[in-house]
Amino acid sequence: MAFPRTSLRAFLSLAKKSLSTATESSRAVTIVVGNESADLDSLTASILYAYIRSSASPQNAFTPLYIPLLNIPAKDISLRPEFKAVFHHANIEIPHLVTLDDLPKNSDSELKPENTRMILVDHNNLQGELGRLYGSRVHGVVDHHEDEGTVISDTEPEPRVIEKCGSCTSLVVRTLKSAWDASSDGSSLSSGGAHAQGDSVMNDAYMIRTWDAQVAKMALASILVDTANLTAENKVEKADTEAVKYLEAKINLSPQDAKHWDRSKFYNEINAAKRNIDDLNLQDILRKDYKQWTENNLKLGIASVVKPLDFIVEKAIAQSTSEDKESEFVTAIGDFMADRNLTLFAIMTTSTSPSGDFQRELYIQALSTGHTAASAFAEHARKELRLEDHSIAAISETPGAMQPSSEGPW
């Protein structure tokens, strides 16, 4: 039985409390979790999936309530200023989120794998400690990355959607559109659900439209940021444009939201918040959007940064007390790798060039045991990604810094 429709704020509070109860009493739970970088797309995709599915769950669902899990500790949320900007529009706050801190801390917990079902969004291979504990319990996925073949083929009643798209959230919208519309007709609202917040029975429809608009703006945030407000031609797919159209229609059904809605203004606000990393130190910049995995017995890591490599280099130099400024960046990256026992580490940047063009850069640093893998990657990717040798002022003599041209498919 699906849960009655309520606000996103109330839903997240319920989800957090329910996870705690399940942990204490060994009850079954369904968790929707994004990737380890916990970027905006992972956040919105997991919350949207859990919210809509909980109000319109299939009859044979593992549990009627789906719990969205942010795949980082709560302290790392502060590294993502764009979250706070989005939460303002969705009427939620950071304490409402379910994070890794809300999971049991030891193997003797009551959150047993057999009582758990995992749905993946924005990735299709559960990594790290979650993967070790619950990798065999993945029974659904919505993702826009390359299929790694780790999710079972039959995930019914949950979807198995893995296809190219600018934003994973767009695929979640498309997958659950019918369920969302059904939950918005008013019949799924609990008795007194809206008026418990000070509204009469006559205002149930008004409240649902308000809630829909709040959720729609949350979902739009990641889609617009990931597709540069639908202008990134090499990323935008039909699912993205259709999702934006659908979500804006939800906003326009809410009178109080429609009169103030300005998509470009909204995008600029969220995008500016995401790129506001000037006050972060180098370590925090690198771990803000970071993923790590093991492949062929090599531990690999990758960080995505919304500033050019020159900015990162200058951060390393500014934090250094060494007189050898040219080597400080390489040393700082080496320290970051050592802290995580990485064999190979890559930094991918997105920024705007001095001429106003969108550009991406790629920097790779490896231990001696990873040089072969790094060289093989560079050789394989040079043509596909249009990689060019790239000099950075402070590390101009350092091999391994490369960037694709601004016209490349990245």
Side-chain angles (χ1 to χ4, degrees), residues 130-164:
L130 288 182
R132 186 184 71 81
L133 291 173
Y134 305 110
S136 64
R137 302 301 296 167
V138 175
H139 284 266
V141 59
V142 180
D143 185 31
H144 64 148
H145 299 97
E146 182 177 350
D147 191 345
E148 298 185 40
T150 65
V151 180
I152 58 176
S153 57
D154 183 9
T155 58
E156 290 294 336
E158 306 301 337
R160 190 187 193 283
V161 177
I162 303 177
E163 65 179 74
K164 180 183 177 183

Side-chain angles (χ1 to χ4, degrees), residues 302-364:
I302 186 167
S304 298
V305 182
V306 293
K307 296 281 189 178
L309 277 172
D310 284 331
F311 172 86
I312 305 172
V313 173
E314 291 302 322
K315 274 286 182 180
I317 293 174
Q319 293 175 200
S320 171
T321 57
S322 170
E323 295 181 2
D324 186 4
K325 302 298 185 183
E326 290 192 359
S327 66
E328 189 54 37
F329 174 71
V330 177
T331 300
I333 299 303
D335 291 342
F336 186 87
M337 294 175 64
D339 289 344
R340 293 156 180 79
N341 295 315
L342 297 179
T343 306
L344 186 151
F345 178 55
I347 301 173
M348 290 197 303
T349 74
T350 58
S351 60
T352 302
S353 70
S355 60
D357 297 323
F358 174 80
Q359 65 179 11
R360 289 184 181 270
E361 297 167 299
L362 172 66
Y363 174 85
I364 301 173

Side-chain angles (χ1 to χ4, degrees), residues 11-51:
F11 165 74
L12 291 175
S13 296
L14 172 64
K16 194 162 190 169
K17 182 178 180 180
S18 296
L19 178 60
S20 177
T21 300
T23 300
E24 294 170 357
S25 57
S26 192
R27 295 182 184 177
V29 294
T30 300
I31 295 176
V32 186
V33 59
N35 64 47
E36 288 180 295
S37 71
D39 61 5
L40 187 60
D41 200 22
S42 281
L43 171 80
T44 62
S46 60
I47 292 179
L48 180 64
Y49 189 104
Y51 179 68

Side-chain angles (χ1 to χ4, degrees), residues 229-389:
N229 198 10
L230 298 181
T231 64
E233 296 181 0
N234 62 325
K235 295 187 67 175
V236 177
E237 300 291 338
K238 182 179 180 182
D240 297 307
T241 57
E242 290 184 344
V244 169
K245 182 179 180 180
Y246 175 81
L247 294 170
E248 287 198 296
K250 290 285 189 186
I251 294 172
N252 287 326
L253 285 175
S254 171
Q256 67 179 26
D257 292 279
K259 63 183 179 181
H260 299 298
W261 176 244
D262 183 325
R263 192 175 91 193
S264 293
K265 182 179 179 181
F266 177 77
Y267 163 71
N268 289 334
E269 176 193 344
I270 306 303
N271 193 48
K274 180 180 180 179
R275 295 184 175 277
N276 183 20
I277 62 173
D278 292 4
D279 293 334
L280 298 181
N281 62 39
L282 179 62
Q283 293 282 324
D284 286 346
I285 289 172
L286 295 178
R287 68 187 184 91
K288 179 179 185 291
D289 191 346
Y290 174 77
K291 299 175 186 176
Q292 181 176 306
W293 70 101
T294 300
E295 187 174 318
N296 296 326
N297 295 319
L298 300 178
K299 187 171 285 188
L300 314 176
I302 186 167
S304 298
V305 182
V306 293
K307 296 281 189 178
L309 277 172
D310 284 331
F311 172 86
I312 305 172
V313 173
E314 291 302 322
K315 274 286 182 180
I317 293 174
Q319 293 175 200
S320 171
T321 57
S322 170
E323 295 181 2
D324 186 4
K325 302 298 185 183
E326 290 192 359
S327 66
E328 189 54 37
F329 174 71
V330 177
T331 300
I333 299 303
D335 291 342
F336 186 87
M337 294 175 64
D339 289 344
R340 293 156 180 79
N341 295 315
L342 297 179
T343 306
L344 186 151
F345 178 55
I347 301 173
M348 290 197 303
T349 74
T350 58
S351 60
T352 302
S353 70
S355 60
D357 297 323
F358 174 80
Q359 65 179 11
R360 289 184 181 270
E361 297 167 299
L362 172 66
Y363 174 85
I364 301 173
Q365 188 163 315
L367 301 181
S368 57
T369 52
H371 281 175
T372 300
S375 298
F377 170 79
E379 183 64 28
H380 175 75
R382 183 176 296 275
K383 182 177 181 179
E384 180 180 353
L385 304 179
R386 302 181 187 180
L387 288 176
E388 302 170 354
D389 292 330

Side-chain angles (χ1 to χ4, degrees), residues 216-237:
K217 283 186 280 189
M218 179 199 71
L220 272 168
S222 58
I223 300 174
L224 297 179
V225 167
D226 283 353
T227 64
N229 198 10
L230 298 181
T231 64
E233 296 181 0
N234 62 325
K235 295 187 67 175
V236 177
E237 300 291 338

Side-chain angles (χ1 to χ4, degrees), residues 72-80 94 99-101 284 287:
I72 53 172
K75 65 181 177 61
D76 286 353
I77 296 175
S78 63
L79 303 179
R80 297 155 174 82
I94 290 175
T99 71
L100 295 180
D101 294 340
D284 286 346
R287 68 187 184 91

